[in-house]
Amino acid sequence: MRIATFRHNNTRHVGRVSSDGLHVQAFEVSADIAHLGALRLLEAVVAGGQWPSVSSQQLAVSDVQLEAPIPVPRRNIWCVGRNYHEHAKELSTSVFKDSNTNTQAWPIVFTKVPECVVGPFDSVHLPGAQVSEQIDYEAELAVIIGKGGKNILAADAMQHVFGYTIVNDVTARDVQMRHQQWDMGKSFDTFCPMGPWMVTADELDGTHTRVRCVVNGEQRQDGPTENMIFDIPTLIETISRGITLFSGDIIATGTPAGVGMGLKPPRYLKAGDVVRVEIDGIGHIENRFI
Ligand code: MG
């Protein structure tokens, strides 16, 4: 099932998207529930409830404003750094210069603040040259946790995946490298476009799909998720070691090779650029940088 959060007539709704991605029908739920997007519905279904019924009214997706499927995450978004082999290589002279990609025992994990989430077609605001001159894109598959838990074993981890969505882990490279921790360079306002909807795990195998990024019509990234250094079960096992994961938690699983910083010379984003992230089995998001 594809579950979208969207605005229609100035009201936020959660709805079921048709398999061709062209129409959406709102779930019949209160405004309080819809305010958190898919989060409350997901929690209810994980607890054994049924999906609510949907309105008989079919809206064209082109007539609504899509928002992030979980527009107000309950807490920070978990993110994984350097998680594709080729991407680790391309950054081996910069942000990852101290590490050997072949002997890394543990994934790099950081977070983005929930308030940086924006919709799948919203603008991303460049913070201004006085703050950063090195804004970069990172196309990523995001896992949405269903059943929560602590100390989840990799062998059981896929049972905790509710679904998947797309994020662009937008990054200020100069700020990322200035601080020992990455959160600041990753958390600027609007730096986490997400969507266009969530696809449930029964319809998509996130361990076998493909992540692409296109900047102004030029393809920059194209990587299969099989090439992750730490696969999705390992990421869930690692992050849940001693930390309870909750329903609705989001894990951005890292980006393939081809980021702007890895090009020779590096090519950073500027006002007017349009960045599209596509994942097979989900769809695409597309954001103008202003
Ligand atoms: Mg990233």
Side-chain angles (χ1 to χ4, degrees):
M1 193 187 304
R2 298 171 178 211
I3 301 152
T5 299
F6 62 95
R7 281 191 179 277
H8 182 63
N9 292 336
N10 294 317
T11 306
R12 179 175 282 165
H13 300 275
V14 191
R16 190 177 71 198
V17 180
S18 58
S19 53
D20 60 11
L22 295 178
H23 294 92
V24 62
Q25 290 169 278
F27 288 112
E28 293 175 322
V29 296
S30 71
D32 273 4
I33 288 174
H35 175 67
L36 293 176
L39 182 60
R40 290 284 176 256
L41 297 181
L42 178 160
E43 289 172 332
V45 169
V46 167
Q50 300 293 314
W51 289 99
S53 53
V54 292
S55 162
S56 57
Q57 187 185 18
Q58 289 220 14
L59 299 167
V61 165
S62 57
D63 287 341
V64 305
Q65 182 192 349
L66 290 170
E67 299 190 288
I70 300 181
V72 189
R74 70 163 75 232
R75 60 176 176 177
N76 285 27
I77 296 152
W78 299 101
C79 300
V80 181
R82 192 186 55 190
N83 199 32
Y84 283 75
H85 291 283
E86 293 302 315
H87 174 61
K89 265 185 231 163
E90 74 178 340
L91 295 192
S92 61
T93 58
S94 56
V95 69
F96 299 135
K97 60 179 174 292
D98 295 329
S99 15
N100 179 333
T101 68
N102 296 318
T103 60
Q104 183 184 353
W106 299 92
I108 296 167
V109 180
F110 61 95
T111 68
K112 291 169 92 82
V113 298
E115 293 78 9
C116 68
V117 171
V118 294
F121 302 101
D122 289 351
S123 296
V124 174
H125 294 254
L126 297 165
Q130 76 283 7
V131 177
S132 171
E133 293 184 303
Q134 298 185 356
I135 305 302
D136 208 350
Y137 51 85
E138 293 189 354
E140 304 198 12
L141 174 71
V143 171
I144 299 177
I145 295 294
K147 186 175 65 164
K150 182 158 80 171
N151 300 329
I152 298 166
L153 297 175
D156 303 326
M158 296 307 282
Q159 298 167 28
H160 293 260
V161 176
F162 192 84
Y164 302 93
T165 191
I166 302 171
V167 301
N168 185 344
D169 175 20
V170 183
T171 303
R173 296 292 180 204
D174 38 8
V175 178
Q176 178 189 17
M177 289 187 291
R178 183 182 303 156
H179 303 276
Q180 290 288 319
Q181 304 275 329
W182 294 0
D183 301 43
M184 284 191 68
K186 296 281 192 173
S187 288
F188 290 178
D189 294 353
T190 72
F191 269 29
C192 192
M194 183 186 297
W197 37 64
M198 169 171 63
V199 177
T200 51
D202 57 337
E203 289 194 9
L204 175 67
D205 178 1
T207 66
H208 295 90
T209 185
R210 229 177 153 86
V211 178
R212 282 179 296 275
C213 183
V214 177
V215 179
N216 301 328
E218 174 194 353
Q219 184 167 291
R220 299 274 186 92
Q221 298 183 281
D222 181 15
T225 55
E226 291 92 336
N227 284 3
M228 288 183 189
I229 297 172
F230 299 100
D231 63 14
I232 291 169
T234 304
L235 295 176
I236 291 172
E237 177 178 281
T238 303
I239 295 171
S240 72
R241 283 168 65 97
I243 299 176
T244 302
L245 288 179
F246 295 108
S247 301
D249 273 351
I250 300 163
I251 303 173
T253 56
T255 200
V259 297
M261 180 186 232
L263 302 174
K264 308 254 181 306
R267 294 168 70 184
Y268 295 111
L269 296 170
K270 57 188 187 312
D273 286 346
V274 175
V275 180
R276 177 183 173 106
V277 181
E278 308 170 347
I279 297 183
D280 292 343
I282 304 179
H284 72 276
I285 64 175
E286 187 170 283
N287 306 90
R288 180 175 293 275
F289 283 65
I290 62 172

